Amino acid sequence: MAGVLVIGTLAGAGVFRGGGSSSGGSDGGPRYRITVPQTLAGGEYKLAKDISQQAGSAVPSDGAGAHNIKAVGGQYSAGTKSLVMLGLYGVIDDPAVAVDHTIRGMTRDGRTEAAVMDQEFTPSGGGDSLTCGVDVRTEMGQKVTLPFCVWADSSTSGNVAETDAKELSKDPRSVDLQKFADKVDKIRSEVRKPLG
């Protein structure tokens, strides 16, 4: 089912395709890139497959509100869990629009629906908020519960989603999204590196 997760996450990758308006530049804040480390979440997840090539072909380098975008991604595993991290970096004019387009893109395939509507979470240790929710994707008659968190700033956007083969169809409302947001915040600090 890991492939389901990759496809579902990449479906939301074309965040800047189509409409949207540009606010005309970045905020001049720090510039970052997204990397694909060998492990995530303090070593809990190990890289199973680098999907940067797939991600690159799914995302235009220029679109509404984004410029010179590069896409990278990795599929990770930890026991029965499979996690996909997809990152974009370049110039993002409006981070809020980037987050919204990413989340809407994840349910455009006709097989994925929002089960727990996205909301903002502040990591328990403080720091920039993440927007998290739970989607349910139907694949070969099997319902797959997909918790996700998305973030964006003036130079990066990231999307992390996870499944657990032990409980593929767990009740979406039972997912502890604050706990997942804390994990994704840690992942964000591991994959987002200063440019230069």
Side-chain angles (χ1 to χ4, degrees), residues 17 52-60 71:
R17 220 177 247 136
S52 298
Q53 194 170 352
Q54 278 174 277
S57 62
V59 181

Side-chain angles (χ1 to χ4, degrees), residues 5-102:
L5 187 55
V6 172
I7 294 161
T9 308
L10 285 174
V15 290
F16 310 108
R17 220 177 247 136
S21 62
S22 164
S23 63
S26 73
D27 62 7
R31 315 294 298 161
Y32 297 98
R33 63 191 173 95
I34 302 287
T35 61
V36 182
Q38 289 299 309
T39 63
L40 286 181
E44 180 185 349
Y45 295 86
K46 304 234 175 338
L47 181 65
K49 185 179 182 188
D50 189 313
I51 57 168
S52 298
Q53 194 170 352
Q54 278 174 277
S57 62
V59 181
S61 63
D62 288 282
H67 321 281
N68 301 317
I69 292 295
K70 292 187 175 62
V72 298
Q75 181 181 321
Y76 292 81
S77 60
T80 58
K81 293 180 183 173
S82 180
L83 179 143
V84 168
M85 182 282 297
L86 183 70
L88 310 175
Y89 63 98
V91 176
I92 297 172
D93 292 333
D94 190 333
V97 168
V99 167
D100 187 62
H101 281 203
T102 299

